Amino acid sequence: GYRRVHTPVLERSELHERKSGVGIVSKLDMTAQEGICLRPEFTAGIVRAFAFAPEPPPTPWRVSYSGPVFRRVEDGCGLLREFHQVGVELIGAPRPSADAEVISLAEWALFQSTGIDDPNLRIGHVGLIREMLERSGLPAPVQVRLVERLSRAVNADEQERAVEEILAQGRDDAEPAPGPSGGGAERLFASLYPNVVGRRSGDEIVSRLRRKWELGHTLAEKVDNIKKHVHKL
């Protein structure tokens, strides 16, 4: 009952910058024409087609897709820049029953029909991950790096290593920072560099260095809290 739909291979990057996950936005493969990218995934284009249809399709709307997608990847990481993506979208159905339908469809279509005896079905929910990270108190750049690295991890060991690497990067980033906060830091900076040239003022630079100092001393604690919440969940 899932009708095949097609979306353009070339799309405006704005669509994915607004609607796709952060891990996908960082991998947009841009064309020579500004604001145009190669399709990194199907979901955003399908939702757009539903929202802007001259006559909204009756819900629940069941569609399927299959075709090439393109994502910019780091050289030598073993990932394909172009690969084939197959999937379905179910729009307008009650959430629990919709999730159950799609999961059961995946199990039937991918496992039973192909004769796979002992499948390992992975269920992800990026909204849950983002909410946990937002509540963690981690700076936005660290949250972005965590989501990107975790999305590439294929098992729990790789996820653990990804977290530890980012934790180490956070400590390294904090090394040049001054000592604990206090009025002396501002006065010392002002006396050493009375004429700051650049996009940031002296106060902004000191404030940013202070945040790095604090991050270097609290990052491990924040990441440990995230781990505890994940294990509890």
Side-chain angles (χ1 to χ4, degrees):
Y2 283 75
R3 186 171 60 89
R4 179 76 177 272
V5 297
H6 301 272
T7 64
V9 172
L10 291 176
E11 294 184 329
R12 294 190 181 277
S13 58
E14 179 188 11
L15 170 69
H16 298 284
E17 291 166 353
R18 289 187 291 112
K19 298 300 182 184
S20 297
V22 63
I24 293 178
V25 172
S26 64
K27 300 179 180 66
L28 288 182
D29 205 344
M30 306 301 292
T31 66
Q33 183 173 341
E34 185 177 356
I36 302 295
C37 69
L38 293 167
R39 175 179 60 200
E41 53 105 17
F42 281 89
T43 300
I46 289 174
V47 172
R48 175 191 56 197
F50 175 84
F52 291 98
E55 295 185 6
T59 56
W61 193 47
R62 292 174 171 87
V63 296
S64 65
Y65 56 82
S66 174
V69 295
F70 306 83
R71 297 182 190 178
R72 180 173 53 83
V73 296
E74 301 171 6
D75 292 336
C77 68
L79 299 176
L80 295 177
R81 181 175 173 181
E82 175 186 352
F83 58 95
H84 207 81
Q85 191 175 71
V86 179
V88 301
E89 301 289 344
L90 175 52
I91 298 176
R95 184 57 182 272
S97 61
D99 289 342
E101 178 177 327
V102 171
I103 291 170
S104 63
L105 175 65
E107 184 176 5
W108 175 82
L110 297 180
F111 303 138
Q112 293 185 11
S113 63
T114 54
I116 298 176
D117 297 326
D118 188 21
N120 183 6
L121 188 64
R122 297 178 61 197
I123 302 174
H125 193 318
V126 69
L128 175 63
I129 299 300
R130 292 178 66 176
E131 182 174 336
M132 294 183 69
L133 289 175
E134 287 170 0
R135 294 186 180 187
S136 69
L138 291 171
V142 178
Q143 294 183 35
V144 170
R145 283 190 292 183
L146 271 172
V147 172
E148 285 188 63
R149 291 299 307 278
L150 291 176
S151 68
R152 297 203 299 265
V154 297
N155 54 46
D157 290 338
E158 285 194 13
Q159 292 172 353
E160 193 80 14
R161 285 197 295 271
V163 171
E164 292 301 330
E165 288 176 11
I166 291 174
L167 183 60
Q169 291 173 6
R171 293 194 190 101
D172 294 340
D173 289 344
E175 284 302 318
S181 58
E186 285 90 340
R187 290 195 297 272
L188 176 61
F189 188 89
S191 64
L192 292 175
Y193 303 98
N195 299 312
V196 177
V197 178
R199 292 179 299 170
R200 297 186 179 95
S201 66
D203 289 342
E204 289 173 331
I205 293 173
V206 170
S207 176
R208 188 166 182 266
L209 290 175
R210 177 178 293 157
R211 288 198 303 272
K212 282 194 172 187
W213 170 272
E214 293 170 352
L215 174 62
H217 289 75
T218 62
L219 185 59
E221 179 182 350
K222 293 180 185 296
V223 173
D224 283 339
N225 285 336
I226 295 176
K227 290 182 181 179
K228 291 177 183 176
H229 287 308
V230 171
H231 287 303
K232 184 177 179 181
L233 183 63

